[in-house]
Amino acid sequence: MKLIKPNSKDQTIEGTSIFLAGSIEMGVAEDWQSIVVDALKDKDVTILNPRRDDWDSSWIQEQSNPQFNHQVNWELNNLDRADIIFMYFAPATKSPISLLELGKYVDTNMVVCCPKGFWRKGNVDIVCTRHNTPLFNNFDDAVGALLTKIANY
């Protein structure tokens, strides 16, 4: 397993690539990405994880801000090139960017997890159902589906 983050020097993908999309909201969403990384540690995959170790909440979220611009473009570029997108909506979060990404990438190779309690679960359920996108209410079940998808890729 290889892990790539936005600030990683080596951005070369090896094996099947998985982008970890979904709730980050620093201080609100648990670091669920680490759980997925641990579950895939023995697989021939590259994990594209947008959760930065050096995120600075004072960055102005405008295109003209170089750090913010790099982050958003890194995410979009890697969502485009990922073989599989794993998306998790944490119940305590709003995750508006994740909702936007779901709409943009729903017709790609995705596994989506949206547990009961997420404020727009109904919308996520309907979008995934309409597009035949695998949807799970339970995080462990979604990770299991991801493992199966990797094995069959």
Side-chain angles (χ1 to χ4, degrees):
M1 186 267 310
K2 179 177 182 178
L3 177 63
I4 298 176
K5 292 187 173 191
N7 55 346
S8 299
K9 289 187 190 284
D10 181 5
Q11 296 282 321
T12 307
I13 289 177
E14 300 167 6
T16 304
S17 58
I18 296 102
F19 188 96
L20 302 182
S23 303
I24 291 182
E25 294 176 42
M26 299 305 239
V28 180
E30 69 175 306
D31 184 4
W32 60 269
Q33 295 90 346
S34 292
I35 298 168
V36 177
V37 168
D38 189 55
L40 302 179
K41 68 181 177 235
D42 297 327
K43 305 295 179 200
D44 181 24
V45 298
T46 295
I47 299 173
L48 302 160
N49 184 357
R51 185 184 280 264
R52 296 179 73 106
D53 300 323
D54 62 347
W55 178 256
D56 183 343
S57 61
S58 70
W59 289 346
I60 297 169
Q61 295 194 13
E62 293 179 356
Q63 184 174 359
S64 61
N65 179 305
Q67 294 92 349
F68 179 72
N69 188 305
H70 174 265
Q71 178 73 26
V72 172
N73 278 295
W74 183 91
E75 291 180 24
L76 291 171
N77 290 338
N78 284 291
L79 281 160
D80 286 343
R81 77 178 182 152
D83 295 315
I84 302 167
I85 298 171
F86 181 89
M87 182 170 282
Y88 174 65
F89 292 94
T93 67
K94 296 291 184 195
S95 304
I97 303 308
S98 299
L99 289 167
L100 178 146
E101 292 168 347
L102 174 65
K104 180 168 175 42
Y105 293 96
V106 70
D107 288 321
T108 65
N109 194 11
M110 295 185 81
V111 173
V112 177
C113 181
C114 188
K116 186 175 182 177
F118 182 71
W119 76 298
R120 290 294 183 247
K121 178 172 177 41
N123 295 83
V124 173
D125 290 350
I126 291 168
V127 168
C128 289
T129 299
R130 276 186 75 132
H131 292 269
N132 254 350
T133 300
L135 173 65
F136 298 87
N137 298 313
N138 176 284
F139 186 79
D140 291 336
D141 291 345
V143 172
L146 176 61
L147 289 166
T148 299
K149 195 174 271 278
I150 290 166
N152 294 326
Y153 193 79

